[in-house]
Amino acid sequence: MGALKSAKVAPAKVTKAQIDAEADRREKILKQDKPKESDVVALDETAPISENVNRIVHEGHSARDVEEALSILSVQENPSDIDKHPEKRVRAAYSTFEEREMVRLKAEYPNFRLSQLKQMLKKEWQKSPDNPFNQPTRSFNTK
């Protein structure tokens, strides 16, 4: 066992000719990669500059932290529409999703087994907007 620890592998030796050949190869690559004059694109200085979307003021509102920004940019008008307990509706939502999408998957992939179709269905369910967990939720203690 001690002989294994002391045995070290020496690095492969490189000759001067190999070093010169590698340097020549790199120079050829650099010469080939230089842009030609036809490849250079001239900028049109008279074209208008597009507006910076990071600086757009959203309807006069300003936000100082993430929570305020999310409340300004939220899609839903009424916060009471946000579901507090999406886990209660997952099974029913999945069964309706499965009934609707299984027909489509069977038509697209007629030679697949049911287990393969269900795997594909589950992957689609994870990204589906019908999945209650993909919709905005309220935390348990909020009023």
Side-chain angles (χ1 to χ4, degrees):
M1 187 107 159
L4 293 177
K5 288 184 181 178
S6 64
K8 293 185 181 178
V9 177
K13 292 185 180 180
V14 181
T15 64
K16 177 72 173 155
Q18 290 173 331
I19 293 172
D20 291 339
E22 180 66 23
D24 290 341
R25 187 184 65 80
R26 287 184 182 175
E27 286 180 25
K28 286 180 185 177
I29 291 173
L30 288 175
K31 287 179 183 177
Q32 291 174 355
D33 289 343
K34 286 186 180 178
K36 300 175 186 172
E37 289 183 22
S38 61
D39 293 343
V40 176
V41 178
L43 295 177
D44 183 18
E45 294 181 13
T46 60
I49 298 173
S50 62
E51 185 177 8
N52 185 352
V53 294
N54 294 325
R55 300 289 181 190
I56 294 176
V57 177
H58 191 274
E59 300 175 9
H61 299 289
S62 64
R64 302 283 180 221
D65 60 4
V66 174
E67 293 297 325
E68 290 177 10
L70 290 175
S71 67
I72 290 172
L73 297 173
S74 68
V75 177
Q76 294 183 348
E77 298 294 326
N78 189 359
S80 65
D81 292 343
I82 297 175
D83 193 6
K84 276 189 175 181
H85 301 287
E87 65 276 1
K88 293 181 179 180
R89 282 158 276 296
V90 172
R91 185 176 293 159
Y94 182 76
S95 63
T96 57
F97 177 80
E98 183 179 23
E99 289 172 5
R100 182 180 69 238
E101 295 297 318
M102 188 61 81
V103 175
R104 182 185 59 83
L105 285 176
K106 282 183 180 180
E108 284 183 26
Y109 306 101
N111 295 332
F112 278 20
R113 295 183 181 133
L114 184 62
S115 61
Q116 292 172 319
L117 292 171
K118 290 205 178 213
Q119 284 177 349
M120 293 174 66
L121 195 66
K122 185 177 180 191
K123 285 182 184 177
E124 289 180 12
W125 172 251
Q126 298 298 323
K127 297 182 260 181
S128 172
D130 297 337
N131 187 347
F133 289 117
N134 291 343
Q135 296 170 358
T137 60
R138 290 175 55 187
S139 63
F140 180 72
N141 293 331
T142 58
K143 293 184 179 182

